[in-house]
Amino acid sequence: MARNDIRGMQQTLRELRKFNPDLLKELKKDLTKQAQPIFADTAARMPEVAASQWGSKGRTGYSRARAIRGMKVSVRAAKRVKGIRGSYASINLTQSNAGGAIWDQAGSRGNYQPPRQRGLAFNAALTRSTGRGAQRGLWPSVVARRSEIEMNFRLSIDRTARIVNLRMQQRI
């Protein structure tokens, strides 16, 4: 699990939610704007047709356009993780489209055994179409730009924290 700590983020998000929800919306917009190069890199790797027998209709159908629209930035002030004491704030880049998530993650568990042999053929077809195994989408883009992302996100959060502090001092 990749983890980068940004001090003060959890407290800043909680204060934003209490005192100025509009500023929290601005932070989310700014983080989404910072994530656009990652989303563009991922979109460039997405095939028009992921697998020959995989349709584009229904909730789990693959459509490149819907998969691109499904990439989102999620900001949470408190997240609990098993094995870690307490909670922490998190920024997640997620694929909210079911077809896009299947394209991205299919085959990550491996060890397919009968009667699920269709899963093996499906994963092989996805690998042939993209040239990669599981973790085809957001993860390789994030790894390639990790230091840039961390710096940009940190600047956005620090800027927002300064605005919150100034507004809180003005209220006192």
Side-chain angles (χ1 to χ4, degrees):
M1 177 179 174
R3 184 175 157 195
N4 292 325
D5 294 332
I6 299 175
R7 297 186 191 281
M9 183 175 148
Q10 188 172 16
Q11 183 178 1
T12 300
L13 292 174
R14 284 188 178 150
E15 296 299 322
L16 278 174
R17 190 163 281 122
K18 285 181 194 174
F19 296 110
N20 197 339
D22 292 335
L23 199 54
L24 180 60
K25 287 180 187 176
E26 287 299 317
L27 174 63
K28 287 181 181 181
K29 283 182 186 177
D30 192 30
L31 293 173
T32 301
K33 181 180 162 189
Q34 300 291 343
Q36 290 310 309
I38 297 159
F39 294 159
D41 186 40
T42 303
R45 282 198 313 276
M46 288 180 169
E48 286 296 324
V49 177
S52 61
Q53 299 298 317
W54 191 9
S56 63
K57 295 185 178 165
R59 189 179 77 81
T60 59
Y62 176 80
S63 164
R64 184 175 189 269
R66 287 191 320 229
I68 290 171
R69 284 193 308 268
M71 292 185 280
K72 307 276 186 219
V73 174
S74 167
V75 179
R76 296 178 60 184
K79 181 177 182 177
R80 294 197 179 269
V81 174
K82 188 176 182 178
I84 296 178
R85 190 173 179 176
S87 64
Y88 60 94
S90 67
I91 301 171
N92 299 315
L93 303 180
T94 61
Q95 175 55 268
S96 63
N97 176 264
I102 291 168
W103 170 80
D104 187 6
Q105 296 295 317
S108 60
R109 280 175 144 186
N111 298 331
Y112 289 100
Q113 297 179 11
R116 293 187 259 166
Q117 286 298 324
R118 285 182 285 164
L120 189 61
F122 180 70
N123 292 334
L126 289 178
T127 301
R128 279 192 306 272
S129 73
T130 58
R132 294 178 181 10
Q135 300 285 340
R136 298 168 185 88
L138 287 169
W139 182 250
S141 301
V142 169
V143 169
R145 296 173 174 258
R146 186 172 178 172
S147 60
E148 176 188 344
I149 296 165
E150 183 181 353
M151 182 184 70
N152 290 339
F153 281 8
R154 189 180 305 268
L155 290 173
S156 295
I157 292 164
D158 288 346
R159 187 178 327 116
T160 303
R162 281 194 301 275
I163 293 169
V164 168
N165 287 334
L166 285 172
R167 290 186 182 177
M168 287 174 57
Q169 287 175 358
Q170 290 172 353
R171 289 185 181 191
I172 296 177

